[in-house]
Amino acid sequence: MVKISLSSSLGQKTEKAEGEADKTEILIPQADDVQTLPATTQKPTLSRILCVSVVLIILLSTVVLGIICTFRYYHLTQNRFHCRVMYNEDFASVPSRAQLQLEEDVEIRLEEEVELVKVPVPEFEGGDAANIIHDFYQSLTAYHDLSLDRCYIIELNRTIILPPRNLWELLAKMKLGTYLPQTYIIQEEMEVTEQISNVHQLGSFIRHLCSGKKTYKLKRKSIQRTIDKRAIKNCHRIRHLVNTFVIETSICDKD
């Protein structure tokens, strides 16, 4: 430490005793006297690293979940169709005088090879509201007649029911307006044979549809392109579209 003394009267020599002089002392620190404090560096602690990692994982999971949900919503909406078609009950009749309208909702599960059809109460007489499953993996068709709350099972008719991929392409064209079929009707008659006690072996879709309901097997009797005058039977009729034509399924009790 260097000590510099300045007297109060510059240029005058005085002989005053030490302690009586009017002096101002200034202390100038030297380089060796300066204490340098070490810079404090904060090292990341384990808890802070863990907290940042958890936040990053949550953000990444949220982004991934959002992408998945968006894709699934887009995928599902693209596989669901609301159909409204006009068809002729008599193939030979004049369309403007004999056309009827059919509405239904169709969901196509391409991966599971399943077609789910919901038919509301039709405007015309003689038809029933129903839920229908065409399961190509199980090779079965199930009808749930809502008016009777009964299920009916029969082997899938692959000659008239379009496979899921073909049906999806047909309905997509109809939705875009690039294909508007002049639809007619095919009638098929089926007869109830026996009751099914266990539906769990019929696949998950049919099990979900028919569980807890009386379920019966059907036997196909006839298929024809036009509707003829039929004898009065105890039958329930379901009409739906899974091809370029409307299918009327008559489910009749045994004679």
Side-chain angles (χ1 to χ4, degrees):
M1 181 78 68
V2 179
K3 189 174 181 180
I4 301 176
S5 299
L6 299 177
S7 62
S8 57
S9 300
L10 295 178
Q12 297 180 357
K13 296 182 179 179
T14 60
E15 295 180 357
K16 294 185 179 180
E18 187 177 357
E20 295 180 356
D22 184 10
K23 297 177 182 180
T24 302
E25 294 182 352
I26 301 176
L27 301 180
I28 301 177
Q30 289 183 331
D32 296 337
D33 298 325
V34 178
Q35 296 181 355
T36 304
L37 297 177
T40 58
T41 58
Q42 296 182 352
K43 296 182 178 181
T45 61
L46 180 61
S47 60
R48 180 173 297 179
I49 294 175
L50 182 61
C51 182
V52 172
S53 300
V54 170
V55 172
L56 290 177
I57 291 173
I58 293 175
L59 290 175
L60 183 60
S61 302
T62 303
V63 172
V64 173
L65 183 61
I67 293 174
I68 293 174
C69 291
T70 302
F71 173 77
R72 286 184 61 84
Y73 175 77
Y74 177 80
H75 178 72
L76 288 176
T77 52
Q78 291 301 306
N79 287 350
R80 292 179 178 177
F81 301 88
H82 178 75
C83 303
R84 182 185 292 111
V85 296
M86 305 296 295
Y87 65 95
N88 302 323
E89 185 169 17
D90 185 354
F91 183 74
S93 64
V94 180
S96 61
R97 297 181 180 178
Q99 280 194 328
L100 299 175
Q101 179 172 287
L102 172 68
E103 291 194 36
E104 67 183 26
D105 293 309
V106 182
E107 181 180 349
I108 302 175
R109 303 285 186 92
L110 295 175
E111 294 181 358
E112 294 92 345
E113 296 186 87
V114 173
E115 301 165 1
L116 309 174
V117 184
K118 292 185 178 181
V119 182
V121 179
E123 297 180 356
F124 52 82
E125 296 181 357
D128 289 347
N131 294 321
I132 306 167
I133 293 177
H134 297 294
D135 191 332
F136 279 75
Y137 183 79
Q138 298 290 334
S139 195
L140 292 173
T141 291
Y143 302 91
H144 174 213
D145 191 316
L146 296 177
S147 62
L148 300 176
D149 195 25
R150 291 182 181 178
C151 270
Y152 302 95
I153 311 295
I154 194 169
E155 184 179 353
L156 178 67
N157 188 348
R158 295 173 180 265
T159 60
I160 62 174
I161 306 298
L162 285 179
R165 174 62 63 179
N166 300 74
L167 181 62
W168 186 92
E169 293 175 354
L170 172 65
L171 296 180
K173 291 179 181 178
M174 293 174 62
K175 185 176 181 179
L176 293 174
T178 58
Y179 178 72
L180 299 175
Q182 297 295 322
T183 304
Y184 55 92
I185 190 168
I186 282 183
Q187 189 267 338
E188 59 179 1
E189 185 175 338
M190 301 180 182
E191 183 180 77
V192 177
T193 57
E194 60 183 287
Q195 188 170 354
I196 300 174
S197 58
N198 184 11
V199 297
H200 289 78
Q201 59 186 354
L202 305 179
S204 59
F205 288 95
I206 295 179
R207 181 179 69 246
H208 179 73
L209 178 68
C210 299
S211 180
K213 304 176 181 67
K214 290 184 178 181
T215 305
Y216 300 88
K217 285 185 178 180
L218 295 176
K219 179 178 68 174
R220 188 171 286 105
K221 297 188 67 176
S222 64
I223 298 177
Q224 54 190 16
R225 185 165 184 173
T226 58
I227 304 259
D228 297 330
K229 300 297 182 179
R230 290 159 291 192
I232 298 176
K233 298 180 181 179
N234 186 16
C235 300
H236 293 268
R237 297 178 176 86
I238 299 171
R239 297 183 179 184
H240 70 297
L241 177 78
V242 281
N243 208 312
T244 57
F245 45 83
V246 174
I247 302 172
E248 181 189 79
T249 302
S250 297
I251 301 175
C252 307
D253 294 334
K254 289 183 179 181
D255 296 333

